[in-house]
Amino acid sequence: MAIFEMEWIGLIITGFATLFLIGEVLVNMRGVFALLGIGFITVYFGAYVEADSIIIMLIIYFIGLLLIIIDGKLLNDGTLATIGLASMLTAVALPAPSFTSGLYAVLGVLLGGGASFFFLKVFKRREMWNKITLKDQLTKEAGYNSLNISYEQLVDKEGLTLTDLRPVGTIRVDRKNYSAISNGQWISKNTKVRIIKVDGTKILVETVE
């Protein structure tokens, strides 16, 4: 078809494909955006890729999309997102009939991906992400306590080492055994110690003078 001979057409097709596919991930459109996105990207590969290679290119493209989703919703360190974006860009650039067409296709992916976030202002966000993303801060005001209360009460109490602390070992305080760590010192067994700091369940001790 003559329309596919136009170098800029790749920008339109890959742009809409990425727009709808990422949009489906972000908002609840009951699969409508997904179908549109798959349709656009299939048309693109169908126009420029040999029939026996379409599936391979689709897999590369969707693996890239999946990596971006995983990074954005679970890991948030940017590594998988970078790999995923590179995979998507490679998938649309390689089949392009010319260098310029490839640049247009790459630009379409970038623009479509960025524009998809505008859907969040119009449609309802997918609730499935709320189930795996912890939004509340773990503060005392919210009913959480990062410091184990029973351990917090041990500060300034004295105990006895049951093992050598090298620098980690076991101590006994109030007839209970705890794992403790010295401040870089080697403390021998059966030495009297005082708890000077507690961080979560980490107990720091020093010898009693």
Side-chain angles (χ1 to χ4, degrees):
M1 295 178 64
I3 190 171
F4 293 112
E5 296 177 1
M6 300 178 181
E7 293 183 331
W8 52 265
I9 194 63
L11 184 150
I12 304 299
I13 301 175
T14 61
F16 277 115
T18 308
L19 172 72
F20 288 122
L21 286 171
I22 296 183
E24 181 66 37
V25 173
L26 296 175
V27 298
N28 187 9
M29 290 302 295
R30 301 182 181 276
V32 175
F33 279 3
L35 290 175
L36 289 172
I38 292 172
F40 273 108
I41 199 63
T42 302
V43 168
Y44 177 79
F45 288 133
Y48 299 118
V49 180
E50 297 294 332
D52 56 351
S53 300
I54 292 178
I55 299 299
I56 296 176
M57 301 310 294
L58 284 172
I59 290 174
I60 295 174
Y61 180 88
F62 282 107
I63 286 178
L65 180 62
L66 180 61
L67 291 176
I68 292 175
I69 294 170
I70 293 174
D71 190 287
K73 297 302 179 181
L74 299 177
L75 303 181
N76 292 303
D77 66 353
T79 303
L80 289 183
T82 301
I83 297 174
L85 180 60
S87 178
M88 293 177 68
L89 297 180
T90 300
V92 299
L94 288 180
S98 67
F99 179 77
T100 303
S101 297
L103 288 180
Y104 275 121
V106 166
L107 184 60
V109 171
L110 297 176
L111 292 178
S116 64
F117 287 92
F118 286 104
F119 287 137
L120 294 173
K121 299 181 180 296
V122 180
F123 303 105
K124 182 179 179 182
R125 180 190 295 267
R126 276 193 179 275
E127 294 183 357
M128 64 178 291
W129 300 123
N130 297 335
K131 298 178 181 179
I132 62 175
T133 304
L134 184 60
K135 293 184 176 180
D136 297 331
Q137 294 184 343
L138 302 183
T139 62
K140 291 183 179 180
E141 292 77 9
Y144 299 98
N145 194 339
S146 61
L147 193 65
N148 187 304
I149 296 177
S150 64
Y151 276 65
E152 187 177 19
Q153 295 173 347
L154 294 174
V155 176
D156 291 330
K157 287 193 175 183
E158 296 183 355
L160 190 69
T161 58
L162 298 181
T163 65
D164 294 336
L165 270 62
R166 301 182 286 183
V168 180
T170 304
I171 65 172
R172 172 166 289 182
V173 180
D174 295 339
R175 292 178 292 183
K176 291 185 179 180
N177 297 343
Y178 299 92
S179 177
I181 183 171
S182 66
N183 192 17
Q185 299 176 329
W186 183 310
I187 302 178
S188 303
K189 180 180 178 181
N190 295 324
T191 300
K192 200 170 184 181
V193 294
R194 179 185 295 108
I195 297 173
I196 59 175
K197 183 179 179 181
V198 173
D199 183 5
T201 57
K202 180 182 177 182
I203 299 174
L204 182 65
V205 299
E206 65 178 7
T207 57
V208 177
E209 299 296 337

